[in-house]
Amino acid sequence: AGYGSSSRFYTQAVETLGMKPSDYKKGGSGLNLSYAVQPFALGWVLVAATGQGVCAIDLGDSPEEVEKHLRERFPNAVFSPGDATFSHWVAEVLSYLDSPNRDLNLPLDIQGTAFQRRVWMALRSIPCGSTASYSEIAEKIGSPKSVRAVAHACASNTLAVAVPCHRVVRSDGSLGGYRWGLERKRRLLDHEHQAVSGG
């Protein structure tokens, strides 16, 4: 969805989006996770990863809040310090939050249904500074009657900004919902518009 050819898709989408459903359902049992929490302009951001790629980017108002969310999702995971590769991924996320008009090329390790993955990949084709409606995303993935399912896929996204569900709005242009708060969604969109316009 959103790509003129399969080669362009594979060039721009190096992520696997591939955490096994069994790993997720077991609360991350057997998974080795690294995570880091850093302040940014809209609060705090947590980046977590397995050896395969980034599995969570969470936004919140405090370090305690985002850490709690991670441990609730993966209560049985083993947490360990990150290596140089992980530090690079964290730096990439922080740099993207500051300058969203650049590419964010990260390997992703996230569990989702085939439909959710189609939606998430379509979201990644929305340019910085632009928005699309839920119905437009449904059309783009070839399921025009699945507007509610598209909205649910957006709400299920756990990779803030890497899968830019904040760029999806209602057909009338209103913001709709956002996992990390409508005010944060508005400010993310404003920041992206300024980045593109040079303001």
Side-chain angles (χ1 to χ4, degrees), residues 103-183:
D103 289 334
L104 178 61
N105 294 315
L106 293 174
L108 304 181
D109 188 12
I110 181 174
Q111 192 270 320
T113 66
F115 181 85
Q116 287 173 331
R117 295 179 191 197
R118 286 163 59 200
V119 172
W120 295 337
M121 291 308 304
L123 300 187
R124 291 182 62 112
S125 73
I126 305 172
C128 175
S130 300
T131 59
S133 69
Y134 295 102
S135 59
E136 286 172 336
I137 295 299
E139 290 276 357
K140 181 171 287 191
I141 65 172
S143 299
K145 296 182 179 180
S146 301
V147 177
R148 285 191 176 186
V150 166
H152 184 266
C154 292
S156 300
N157 172 38
T158 57
L159 286 163
V161 302
V163 177
C165 55
H166 64 279
R167 295 176 187 164
V168 184
V169 298
R170 292 175 175 160
S171 296
D172 64 2
S174 60
L175 294 184
Y178 189 53
R179 184 187 190 102
W180 294 282
L182 286 183
E183 177 59 19

Side-chain angles (χ1 to χ4, degrees), residues 40-95:
F40 80 117
L42 304 182
W44 293 82
V45 57
L46 177 145
V47 180
T50 67
Q52 301 301 311
V54 176
C55 63
I57 301 176
D58 195 13
L59 310 178
D61 296 324
S62 70
E64 294 78 15
E65 177 187 352
V66 291
E67 288 181 19
K68 179 183 177 184
H69 291 167
L70 181 69
R71 293 184 182 274
E72 287 175 346
R73 284 184 59 210
F74 300 107
N76 300 318
V78 175
F79 295 95
S80 60
D83 57 13
T85 297
F86 174 71
S87 297
H88 171 72
W89 294 343
V90 174
E92 280 289 300
V93 173
L94 292 171
S95 179

Side-chain angles (χ1 to χ4, degrees), residues 12-66:
Q12 294 193 6
V14 298
E15 70 278 3
T16 60
L17 289 173
M19 182 178 292
K20 295 178 180 179
S22 58
D23 290 338
Y24 188 88
K25 289 180 180 178
K26 291 186 294 186
S29 180
L31 284 179
N32 197 314
L33 296 182
S34 300
Y35 75 93
V37 180
Q38 297 287 337
F40 80 117
L42 304 182
W44 293 82
V45 57
L46 177 145
V47 180
T50 67
Q52 301 301 311
V54 176
C55 63
I57 301 176
D58 195 13
L59 310 178
D61 296 324
S62 70
E64 294 78 15
E65 177 187 352
V66 291

